[in-house]
Each structure stands twice: as structure tokens, then as C-alpha cells.
Amino acid sequence: MRTLLTIKWTKAGVFVLCLIPLDALVWRGFHNGLGANPVEFIQLTTGDWTLRFLVFTLCITPFRKLLNLPDLIRFRRMLGLFAFSYVCLHFLTYLVLDQSFDFAGIWKDIAKRPFITVGFLGFLLLLPLAITSTAGWIRRLGGKRWQALHRAIYFAAIAGVIHYYWKVKSDVRMPLFYGALVAILLFWRLGDWFFRRRSAAGAKLSPQHAPANPMQ
Ligand code: HEM
């Protein structure tokens, strides 16, 4: 498994896998497979995949640590950028196919329909993360500030879950399922942060018993 994660082709393979939902959508588009309401179908599919890719991205750090697979980090940026690409398609479907560039109507929608407001907030939160995802931006911001900014992905995922919950109205099982996943990932992260702080404080008190690098 470890070797597989370091191979150049594995990354290319994951990239191709991430494109499958889009390919399937395009294929359906050309084969009359988008159902009675194609705009709705595209919107629901791209919305679902945005949320899935956000969860995949959030899984990388816990899986890296719990399974001791440090090379999983190679996939995090790509998965995050796929989440952003799918939300762009989701938003573009709304902007172009649903609202036909009616900016006044869109603004009214964002202001008046809470589920659109919170979805839009999720999109706005992801925007700076996509822009600053490059090595150049990590250097410019510095590791600590970059990491702090990129924690906004949790808020974007929470906004996505609320958006989904408010949209479906009756059958809330799927939004609750995603909500539970995001909550578990968030609590794991908080727990990890808490234990690392405690071990760092312990190391300061008794340096002779401290591990070589308690922050890892
Ligand atoms: C983090 C950002 C977002 C996520 C994770 C997200 C996710 C989702 C999900 C999961 C659905 C429901 C899919 C289903 O029922 O199977 C959905 C529906 C929808 N989203 Fe989003 N969304 C986001 C942002 C936005 C934005 C920015 C807009 C537009 C301003 C938007 C507009 C819509 C609309 C109109 C629907 C309902 C589609 C329909 O019923 O025809 N979303 N979204």
C-alpha cells in the first residue's frame, strides 16, 4: 500500500477516477439520460459530488495518521481542488441554466432563501482555499497562517451539510449522514489538536522524557 501511494501513476489514476462523475454526466447528456428535468439532475449530481469530495479531502489527515500512511498527503490538494471544481459546476448550472444570468434574481434568491444563502457561503469559503492551494501561496502566507486559513474547509463542509439539509426538507437521512461524517472528522481533528497540545506542554515540563518532535 505504501509503495502504491508513492507511485506517480497512482496520482494519475486517482485523477482519472475523480473525473468519472463528470464523464458520466456528460455521457448522460449526450444519451438523453438526464431525466425529465436535466438542469435539476445536473444540479443535484454536482452538489452531491461537491460534498463527497469535501469529505474525501477531510479524511486524508485522519487516515494518514491512523493508518500510518504519510504519503496520502499527495492526494489532499487534488481532492480539495476537485471539490472546488464540482462546486463551480454546481454554481454555474445555477447561474447559467437555472437563472439564465438573472443577477437581480440570483441576489434576491441568495438574500431570501436560506438554503441558497448558506450554499453560497460555502462556495465563498472554498474560493480563497482554491486560490491559495499552490506552493507559492504556502510560501507567501507561511505554513501556520496557510494552515489556519485552510481550516475554513470544515466551515465550508458544515455550510454544505446545512444547505443540503434545508434543501431536502422531508427525507433528511442523507444530509444527516454527511453531517455525522463531518462531525466525526471535526471531533477527531479537535481531539488530535488537544492531545498534541497536551504532549507538547508535557514535553516542556520534562524535556528529558519528551519525544524528538512532539508536534508530529
Ligand atoms: C459548499 C458549497 C455547496 C455544496 C456542498 C452544495 C451541495 C448541494 C447538495 C448536496 C445538494 C442536494 C443534492 C441532492 O438533493 O441530491 C444541493 C442542491 C442545490 N444547490 Fe448546492 N451546494 C453548494 C453550493 C451551492 C451554491 C453556491 C448554490 C447557488 C448559489 C447552490 C444551489 C443549489 C440548488 C439550487 C440546489 C437544488 C437543486 C434542485 O433541487 O434542483 N449550491 N447542493
Side-chain angles (χ1 to χ4, degrees):
M1 182 70 172
R2 291 225 175 118
T3 335
L4 189 70
L5 291 177
T6 55
I7 299 170
K8 195 171 101 191
W9 292 107
T10 310
K11 205 166 173 184
V14 174
F15 183 85
V16 171
L17 281 179
C18 294
L19 282 173
I20 289 178
L22 178 62
D23 293 343
L25 211 49
V26 173
W27 193 88
R28 277 171 175 274
F30 282 108
H31 293 83
N32 272 337
L34 295 175
N37 188 341
V39 175
E40 186 184 38
F41 189 92
I42 298 172
Q43 223 158 18
L44 298 183
T45 309
T46 50
D48 284 337
W49 280 102
T50 302
L51 204 47
R52 285 176 195 144
F53 276 106
L54 283 175
V55 171
F56 295 158
T57 312
L58 292 177
C59 281
I60 293 286
T61 299
F63 281 15
R64 264 180 75 208
K65 294 197 176 181
L66 294 172
L67 306 175
N68 195 19
L69 293 171
D71 288 309
L72 271 177
I73 196 70
R74 296 178 62 227
F75 303 88
R76 191 172 64 180
R77 176 169 176 259
M78 182 167 70
L79 292 173
L81 285 175
F82 266 104
F84 183 69
S85 309
Y86 279 100
V87 82
C88 285
L89 291 175
H90 187 61
F91 181 59
L92 280 175
T93 312
Y94 171 80
L95 179 77
V96 183
L97 304 178
D98 192 3
Q99 300 287 324
S100 315
F101 294 104
D102 172 11
F103 290 103
I106 292 172
W107 184 242
K108 228 158 101 191
D109 234 13
I110 292 175
K112 292 228 169 108
R113 295 171 73 193
F115 108 87
I116 298 284
T117 317
V118 77
F120 193 65
L121 178 71
F123 178 59
L124 290 184
L125 284 167
L126 289 175
L127 207 60
L129 307 194
I131 294 170
T132 60
S133 67
T134 59
W137 271 103
I138 300 177
R139 223 177 316 111
R140 240 167 280 161
L141 288 172
K144 279 227 151 89
R145 264 197 293 172
W146 186 89
Q147 270 185 340
L149 174 69
H150 279 251
R151 275 183 208 123
I153 190 172
Y154 283 96
F155 297 103
I158 292 168
V161 168
I162 298 172
H163 169 70
Y164 191 4
Y165 185 89
W166 281 346
K167 189 255 150 196
V168 292
K169 292 183 192 105
S170 53
D171 187 358
V172 293
R173 279 174 301 177
M174 281 315 284
L176 285 181
F177 169 70
Y178 283 108
L181 287 180
V182 173
I184 291 168
L185 291 164
L186 183 60
F187 282 118
W188 183 87
R189 206 55 199 255
L190 289 172
D192 182 58
W193 172 79
F194 177 75
F195 283 117
R196 275 192 295 138
R197 254 179 75 110
R198 243 180 44 164
S199 64
K204 262 192 202 152
L205 285 175
S206 57
Q208 69 274 31
H209 300 304
N213 185 355
M215 293 307 283
Q216 278 187 347

